[in-house]
Amino acid sequence: MLARALASLIWLGATIGCGEAPAPQPAADSANTAETTTGDAAVAPDAASADHGQAGDAAGPETAPGPDISGDAGADAAAETSLDTADVLDGLAEIAADAADTADAADTAVNDSSDQDVATAEVGDNPQPDVAQDAGQDVAIGPPKPEPAVVGPAVAVTEQLLHKAPVAFAAAAQGALVLAQAGTQTLIASDPELPPVQLGGNPGTAHAVAVFAPDQLLVASNTGIYGVVKSKLLISPLQAVVGGPPLALFVHAAAGKPWLWAVANTGVWRHDGAVAQPLQVQGQDAAALADAIWRAGPDVAIDASTGQPKVGGKSTPAVWLYLQGAVHALVVSGNTGKLWLDEPIAQGLDLRCDGAGHVWLRASDGTVHRRNPDGAWQWLALPEAVTALVARPDLPMAALQTASGLWLHQDGVFFPVTASGGWNLRDLTATGALVATGSNGLARLVPGEVKPPPPPSWAATVEPIYKSRCANCHGPTAVTVKLQTAQLWQQWYPKILIQLESDAMPLLPPKLNAQDKALVKAWGKGGFAP
């Protein structure tokens, strides 16, 4: 947008110098667009509603919610490895404020669009090209150029090595947990001091992870949708409804309610936790939608009288797509969606959305395009070409990678990350840590000061292991060694460790896994917390 404004100024100066200026082109009449969706676009689908009938017979059977993972050891580890996200974000915000004070010149270059409509059009409209022409004579204005990014001071990170082997895929799971694939193994990594938990099952090659609820972790792969159930990957009931392998799987909150979205060659599906229904997108077929990049993102402002996007309109939930060389906002009403063209940008490679209301597009020329909360787009260039970009809609930050290293973005400022080289950016955790892979394995890079997690306790960690694996033979009425209290465990602790390490105990299978053994050791190392 800035580049177009500069081009217009140069053209205006040229025409004044020639003694004449052409009449301004009339603006496109938005009243000629097709019928729009209603302003209240976040209507939850119901199997018995009229909207269900609009979907036709393709709605398919109802499905149960995604598989539970309650009782999984990874869930306990997530609580124990939670990081202070607020401290990380507050620290970056304070640094960003200082850096922004020295960047007034860059700030004034941003177009003030507070009194203008967002430059959106219904898909199918032909936006007017921004080409300046004098009467019978072209004006040479040169190619537009991106703005230089505002760069702040370096941010230090703590590198936590979670797995010491090559990793092909890695993505954030619940909290600070990371799901990864190494060879034929699918792992959940939680802490540098604990071995990752290996998940059973054969899900194929994973490409996306979705946390639908605190206890529902779903994995999308080239063979289907899988749920993590008690350390096993099982095919999800949703896969039978979707049909083909998922191309995209993500969670989008609308009107305070989470929706699981699945995009496949068979169509687009939304799951509210009870029923999965197909979504009909006006003017688009399944093949075109399958080629798009889909992301959960910020609301879009909709004018109540016209139903069109407009600054100052009603905040309406939207899903964002990069489709056919442009960024679009998808507004849903019932089981029908309408696409709005938001910004044509050629050669886009990846689309992301953060929790600060930004929509990001990484372009093939190494620049990034950022849509600000007011609807204005900026074209930005870092000192080097951007090769990777990640963000998540529940964090007001983004992370990027260039040839020389990693970057964090917050409050309009880009911060270089001080870390050892060789890391490839993969994702952001819910706690604000960067997920990275490299020749050293899998790492979590935590900005700022890291507070170590509390040591395992008897009540939260060891007693559940005792009750599930030891109580039948070592309860209060046992004729063998009694181990029903923390004090008894401390008394017998050295011998317990020997029995566990040799797999002599538990006597009956299954034996304790490496994660549980490590937790018992950490309990003693941490001072036998009650």
Side-chain angles (χ1 to χ4, degrees):
M1 301 297 291
L2 175 61
R4 294 175 180 173
L6 290 175
S8 298
L9 289 175
I10 297 173
W11 165 76
L12 180 61
T15 55
I16 292 174
C18 294
E20 57 178 322
Q25 296 293 325
D29 186 1
S30 62
N32 292 329
T33 58
E35 181 183 358
T36 62
T37 57
T38 60
D40 187 7
V43 179
D46 184 89
S49 68
D51 290 326
H52 182 200
Q54 294 175 5
D57 295 335
E62 297 184 2
T63 64
D68 294 338
I69 60 169
S70 56
D72 187 50
D76 294 334
E80 295 171 8
T81 57
S82 62
L83 305 176
D84 194 345
T85 310
D87 289 346
V88 173
L89 298 179
D90 289 346
L92 286 178
E94 183 176 349
I95 298 174
D98 294 339
D101 289 341
T102 64
D104 290 338
D107 291 340
T108 57
V110 179
N111 291 332
D112 183 5
S113 60
S114 60
D115 295 326
Q116 300 178 4
D117 289 354
V118 179
T120 56
E122 186 177 352
V123 173
D125 287 353
N126 295 318
Q128 297 295 325
D130 292 331
V131 179
Q133 292 185 341
D134 199 355
Q137 181 180 3
D138 292 338
V139 179
I141 60 175
K145 295 182 179 179
E147 305 173 43
V150 179
V151 177
V155 173
V157 296
T158 299
E159 301 182 15
Q160 299 177 342
L161 189 60
L162 302 178
H163 185 59
K164 299 178 182 179
V167 169
F169 168 80
Q174 297 101 323
L177 300 181
V178 177
L179 184 141
Q181 285 193 321
T184 59
Q185 298 180 343
T186 303
L187 312 168
I188 292 285
S190 61
D191 190 274
E193 301 298 326
L194 301 176
V197 175
Q198 182 175 346
L199 303 178
N202 183 20
T205 303
H207 61 79
V209 172
V211 180
F212 189 35
D215 60 347
Q216 295 184 18
L217 180 64
L218 297 167
V219 177
S221 77
N222 63 328
T223 61
I225 302 173
Y226 294 80
V228 180
V229 183
K230 296 183 178 179
S231 298
K232 292 182 179 179
L233 282 162
L234 304 178
I235 194 72
S236 169
L238 183 60
Q239 180 57 45
V241 179
V242 174
L247 303 174
L249 187 71
F250 60 94
V251 176
H252 178 239
K257 180 179 181 179
W259 293 82
L260 179 66
W261 289 62
V263 181
N265 286 320
T266 56
V268 181
W269 299 80
R270 296 195 311 156
H271 193 346
D272 65 353
V275 178
Q277 295 289 343
L279 180 73
Q280 306 298 324
V281 180
Q282 297 179 9
Q284 297 293 327
D285 58 20
L289 296 174
D291 289 337
I293 302 174
W294 292 72
R295 300 295 179 195
D299 292 357
V300 65
I302 298 292
D303 184 85
S305 60
T306 65
Q308 300 180 20
K310 181 179 181 180
V311 170
K314 181 180 179 181
S315 182
T316 304
V319 167
W320 293 83
L321 286 74
Y322 183 70
L323 173 67
Q324 299 171 349
V327 178
H328 299 77
L330 175 64
V331 177
V332 176
S333 177
N335 288 328
T336 302
K338 173 169 278 188
L339 276 176
W340 290 99
L341 174 64
D342 194 81
E343 185 76 357
I345 304 174
Q347 303 298 317
L349 297 179
D350 196 7
L351 182 74
R352 299 282 174 159
C353 302
D354 67 28
H358 297 116
V359 179
W360 296 82
L361 185 74
R362 178 171 67 90
S364 60
D365 61 0
T367 62
V368 291
H369 299 256
R370 183 185 66 198
R371 183 188 193 271
N372 296 320
D374 63 359
W377 282 86
Q378 286 181 272
W379 185 21
L380 302 170
L382 272 70
E384 296 177 312
V386 176
T387 57
L389 167 68
V390 296
R392 51 187 298 153
D394 57 349
L395 284 180
M397 59 188 295
L400 307 92
Q401 182 168 10
T402 64
S404 62
L406 305 175
W407 297 74
L408 285 173
H409 172 275
Q410 189 172 0
D411 295 334
V413 180
F414 294 83
F415 304 91
V417 172
T418 302
S420 61
W423 292 117
N424 298 313
L425 182 63
R426 298 286 189 167
D427 205 353
L428 278 172
T429 69
T431 56
L434 286 70
V435 178
T437 60
S439 58
N440 292 333
L442 170 68
R444 189 171 52 211
L445 310 180
V446 185
E449 181 182 359
V450 178
K451 298 178 180 179
S457 66
W458 165 260
T461 307
V462 180
E463 187 177 25
I465 297 174
Y466 158 76
K467 288 182 177 180
S468 65
R469 303 299 301 121
C470 313
N472 286 342
C473 298
H474 298 281
T477 61
V479 296
T480 58
V481 176
K482 297 178 176 62
L483 294 174
Q484 73 271 19
T485 68
Q487 291 75 18
L488 289 171
W489 271 67
Q490 292 182 50
Q491 177 183 337
W492 292 95
Y493 187 72
K495 293 186 177 180
I496 290 174
L497 291 184
I498 294 174
Q499 297 292 316
L500 295 181
E501 285 299 327
S502 64
D503 281 337
M505 291 291 170
L507 187 61
L508 299 176
K511 303 298 183 179
L512 259 64
N513 58 37
Q515 175 92 0
D516 288 339
K517 292 177 183 179
L519 289 171
V520 172
K521 289 182 181 179
W523 178 58
K525 185 178 179 180
F528 301 102

